[in-house]
Amino acid sequence: MSNHTEDNKRIARNTLFLYIRMSVVLIISLYTTRIVLKVLGVEDYGVYNVVGGFVALFNVLNTTLANGINRFYNFELGKKVEGNITSVYNAAVRIQIVTAVILLLFIEGIGIWYVNKVMVIPQDRIVVANYLFQFSVVSMLLIVLQAPYSAAVLAHEKMDYFAVVSIVDALLKLIICFIIQHFGKDKLLIYGLLMLAIAAINFGMYLIYAKIYFSGLKLHRKVDKHLFKSMLSFSGWSLLNPIAYTARGQGCNMILNYFFGPIINAAYGVANQIARAVDQLSGNFSVSFRPQIIQSYSSGEYGRTKRLMYSMSKISYLLHALFAIPIILEVDTLLDLWLGKESIPQYASSFVCWILVIKWINSLNPPITNVMSATGQIKKINIWTSIIMVSILPITIVMMNTGLSPTTMYIATLILTLVNQYVCLHILCCSFTEVSMQNYTKEIVFPCILFSIASLFIPSLFHVLLSPSIGRFLLTILLSTLSVIASSSFFLNTNEKLLAKKMLMSFLRHLHVVR
């Protein structure tokens, strides 16, 4: 029992580091977007979003690849056999090199054709768009190759360093915004080149730290063939999801560009910027809980695996609400304060609201996929998720051809997100019998619905009754926060409240140390 108490403390401590990271990165990222949009202009920002967006989209790929390697690292750590880490590392490096080569050939073949033949872009920006594309491809390769090292950092639960790398990344992007203002020539080209430099710095930071602090990361000529095949199979099936999400994200971006031009891509980019920032909430808890979920499963503690999954689901949903509710209610005021009224792209407000609702619901998905990752049975769930996610593309094309608003794309995505959640849960219940559909509905689904209604009622009421102003904006944030906190007292069980208390105490202790 004492071991579990220490594990819970580690989860709380790691979550603290990740939320410090998230807070700093969120503030810097939102300010950076404002500056970039102002310096580049709406049209060039739209061009960068649709061409250079490969970097952001392939961050999803990096996360999944790192999670796959992380799973094998954690599985061996759970068995307390340190020497096996070296075998995992050797297999991982070779798999990532093969993955990088395949992606390079595929993306170069498709991407150059798309940029030059299909993309709707002013003729005088074609050359710059091609350069941006190549910068993005190199950045993508670096992201793929850094996975064995970033996965080692996460597997050993070094969340403080993970937070440092993310904050450095955000600060460098902020510095770039001020640098490009002083270039008289093509600012978009310089911006793309400097973003590539940041990708190289991130790769170096993970590589150097992992090599110095983790002695098991040694490259040998011989590879454990059985482990290599297991990891290759796991990584291969794991790639389905990020490829599907990448295809959905970039595909929707391309479809919007084809039907509405680069201006609508700016709105899409603004909405995704906010969504990625808020979505880090779910990602933070996924990162904090994942090592414990996998290690508890590998040691045969299935009851604890289920409890961790349920706790992760509820706390992730709660924290998503903490940020999503006030942003949805006050999106127009937020965009005005953030970007300036003259810089807000058309459809940005509605895009932001819809994508946050989708992300809020989807915050319940990572706990399910984490448990499936622990079992190693990911083939079926990834196939179905990929089919569901990619199906939005033909649906969007049909809707746009009939003259519907671009906002309807998000309505279809919301419906498919709900379908995907049900399918993933059904697959989990078949593979991990500790969880049943009935029990999950009772413990997670119904409480989430009641929590959402309770959290939204009071701030929504005041939002309707009061006129738009800074005062209403601040009041909405306050009331939303208080409503979420009050509702959570009925939403969380005793163990989850205890975990939240440990997180708060850890935060206060760190504040005392800083002071």
Side-chain angles (χ1 to χ4, degrees), residues 14 39-40 70 76 83 96 119 182 219 290 336 345 400 416 425 439 462:
N14 288 337
V39 172
L40 297 182
N70 180 279
E76 299 305 330
Q96 296 308 97
M119 184 178 172
H182 300 288
L219 203 58
R290 188 185 305 116
D336 190 7
M400 297 302 104
L416 290 175
L425 179 61
N439 182 253
F462 277 85

Side-chain angles (χ1 to χ4, degrees), residues 170-385:
L171 287 172
L172 288 174
K173 289 175 181 175
L174 178 61
I175 293 171
I176 283 177
C177 293
F178 294 105
I179 290 176
I180 61 174
Q181 295 182 61
H182 300 288
F183 281 88
K185 296 182 179 180
D186 203 312
K187 293 181 173 62
L188 181 58
L189 183 63
I190 300 300
Y191 182 70
L193 181 60
L194 292 175
M195 290 294 284
L196 169 58
I198 291 178
I201 291 171
N202 287 342
F203 174 79
M205 290 181 70
Y206 278 118
L207 172 65
I208 293 170
Y209 182 88
K211 284 291 188 178
I212 291 175
Y213 290 99
F214 308 135
S215 58
L217 304 188
K218 297 177 181 178
L219 203 58
H220 295 158
R221 288 188 177 183
K222 291 185 179 180
V223 179
D224 185 330
K225 293 183 179 179
H226 176 72
L227 178 62
F228 181 84
K229 289 180 180 178
S230 297
M231 290 186 65
L232 186 62
S233 174
F234 190 91
S235 297
W237 291 117
S238 295
L239 278 175
L240 280 180
N241 268 12
I243 288 173
Y245 277 102
T246 299
R248 186 190 73 174
Q250 190 67 3
C252 288
N253 212 3
M254 292 175 180
I255 293 168
L256 290 174
N257 175 264
Y258 180 80
F259 284 98
F260 302 100
I263 301 298
I264 202 71
N265 295 123
Y268 188 80
V270 167
N272 281 332
Q273 180 70 25
I274 293 178
R276 279 194 295 268
V278 176
D279 202 34
Q280 288 180 47
L281 294 166
S282 180
N284 282 338
F285 268 93
S286 181
V287 170
S288 298
F289 275 79
R290 188 185 305 116
Q292 295 299 322
I293 286 176
I294 295 174
Q295 290 177 33
S296 65
Y297 183 88
S298 69
S299 60
E301 298 179 89
Y302 302 135
R304 174 169 165 77
T305 303
K306 174 187 172 182
R307 290 193 298 273
L308 286 171
M309 173 195 157
Y310 279 17
S311 296
M312 179 182 170
S313 299
K314 292 164 74 175
I315 297 176
S316 178
Y317 190 84
L318 184 157
L319 284 163
H320 236 82
L322 193 64
F323 285 79
I325 291 174
I327 293 175
I328 291 170
L329 293 176
E330 290 290 342
V331 62
D332 291 323
T333 304
L334 175 65
L335 290 176
D336 190 7
L337 292 172
W338 175 29
L339 302 176
K341 189 166 293 184
E342 69 286 349
S343 299
I344 301 175
Q346 187 182 11
Y347 290 108
S349 296
S350 57
F351 280 13
V352 169
C353 292
W354 279 107
I355 200 169
L356 285 181
V357 171
I358 292 166
K359 294 290 186 180
W360 190 6
I361 294 172
N362 200 53
S363 67
L364 294 175
N365 194 257
I368 294 175
T369 55
N370 277 353
V371 174
M372 290 302 298
S373 178
T375 67
Q377 301 175 44
I378 61 169
K379 177 181 177 180
K380 190 174 182 180
I381 195 170
N382 283 353
I383 288 175
W384 277 104
T385 296

